[in-house]
Amino acid sequence: MGLDVNKDGEEKSGVQESGDESEEKITRNKSETSLCATEEEDDDEGGNIELGPQYTLKEQFEKDKDDESLRRWKEQLLGSVDMTNAGETVDPEVKILSLTILSPERPELVLPIPEDGNPKGSWFTLKEGSQYSLRFSFQVGNNIVSGLKYTNTVWKTGLKVDSKREMLGTFSPQQEPYTHVIPEDTAPTGFFARGSYTAKTKFVDDDNRCYLEMDYTFDIKKDWSNP
């Protein structure tokens, strides 16, 4: 969650490859899990590619199990997968557990994610001009989540002042939580930078499944608030 009251943050755009038009078109059934609306709608209707059918993680391991070379390739591709957390459905389960604010100027501030996903009141305070980074902790179950992304948009007095997108990666199910640290940023400083901000954070994957959509407020002040 970088902040810059002078310019909008940059966003990275994904690259999509298209196949030969002469090849047979294959489709994938859409997931029934929540889908997130993107900030930028794709105007090119022909640019969307529908992929082949999905399989559960257990089905992936069972398929072609008699082919030794293919089995080894799958093990290299999927890595060390905890099959006790693999389910019988194709949809992955991702639960965002906490946000931790890291700064050399103060102890770690761990903020659990509320059950309803929306913190009440001001969630935290940043010191103006401070260097900080964010660390997210999350759990993955049931199936592999592909292309998990973090997006964050910040407003002050109704004006968008920052927008960030960070690719977290692809993760297999396991009991131990994963962690991901957002690159370090610097809080804005000065009279106009101080005050209250509103923000919206989303975690979505390559299939646009939405695992968390969180609205919250935070403050920038002359000093850190008490832990």
Side-chain angles (χ1 to χ4, degrees):
M1 177 190 59
L3 291 176
D4 189 338
V5 294
N6 295 320
K7 63 179 180 180
D8 288 346
E10 297 180 355
E11 295 189 1
K12 299 178 181 178
S13 59
V15 177
Q16 194 174 55
E17 297 181 355
S18 59
D20 192 311
E21 294 180 357
S22 63
E23 295 180 356
E24 180 182 0
K25 183 179 181 182
I26 53 180
T27 60
R28 167 190 283 180
N29 292 330
K30 293 295 183 182
S31 166
E32 294 182 357
T33 56
S34 173
L35 297 180
C36 267
T38 58
E39 291 186 13
E40 297 180 0
E41 297 294 334
D42 187 0
D43 294 330
D44 184 6
E45 296 180 358
N48 295 326
I49 295 179
E50 295 182 335
L51 303 178
Q54 289 180 299
Y55 297 94
T56 68
L57 195 56
K58 291 181 180 179
E59 288 173 337
Q60 292 282 7
F61 274 97
E62 288 297 318
K63 281 172 60 66
D64 308 309
K65 62 181 180 180
D66 295 331
D67 189 323
E68 181 69 15
S69 61
L70 187 56
R71 182 184 63 81
R72 290 179 180 177
W73 178 80
K74 287 182 180 179
E75 289 177 352
Q76 292 178 351
L77 179 66
L78 299 176
S80 178
V81 176
D82 185 353
M83 295 303 293
T84 61
N85 283 324
E88 300 294 338
T89 59
V90 299
D91 289 345
E93 296 175 354
V94 179
K95 184 175 182 180
I96 313 301
L97 302 175
S98 65
L99 161 68
T100 301
I101 298 177
L102 308 171
S103 175
E105 302 179 20
R106 59 156 300 143
E108 293 184 3
L109 177 60
V110 181
L111 302 167
I113 305 297
E115 286 298 323
D116 64 359
N118 292 309
K120 303 297 187 294
S122 181
W123 200 23
F124 57 85
T125 295
L126 294 176
K127 177 184 176 182
E128 64 172 338
S130 62
Q131 293 182 322
Y132 70 97
S133 56
L134 305 180
R135 182 179 68 211
F136 285 100
S137 173
F138 57 95
Q139 260 179 331
V140 177
N142 200 44
N143 207 341
I144 293 173
V145 58
S146 176
L148 185 63
K149 294 179 287 291
Y150 156 83
T151 65
N152 190 71
T153 307
V154 181
W155 296 267
K156 189 175 192 293
T157 61
L159 298 176
K160 185 167 76 170
V161 295
D162 191 76
S163 182
K164 297 290 185 185
R165 178 181 297 174
E166 173 86 5
M167 173 60 74
L168 277 62
T170 295
F171 305 91
S172 60
Q174 66 176 34
Q175 290 185 340
E176 287 294 317
Y178 291 96
T179 59
H180 183 89
V181 179
I182 305 298
E184 188 176 70
D185 210 332
T186 302
T189 186
F191 175 80
F192 291 105
R194 294 192 292 270
S196 180
Y197 293 77
T198 60
K200 179 184 288 291
T201 289
K202 294 181 184 180
F203 288 86
V204 299
D205 66 11
D206 279 347
D207 290 320
N208 208 31
R209 296 186 187 92
C210 186
Y211 300 105
L212 177 67
E213 183 170 349
M214 179 172 62
D215 296 297
Y216 62 96
T217 62
F218 66 96
D219 296 319
I220 292 180
K221 297 183 178 181
K222 289 185 176 182
D223 207 345
W224 299 99
S225 61
N226 294 326

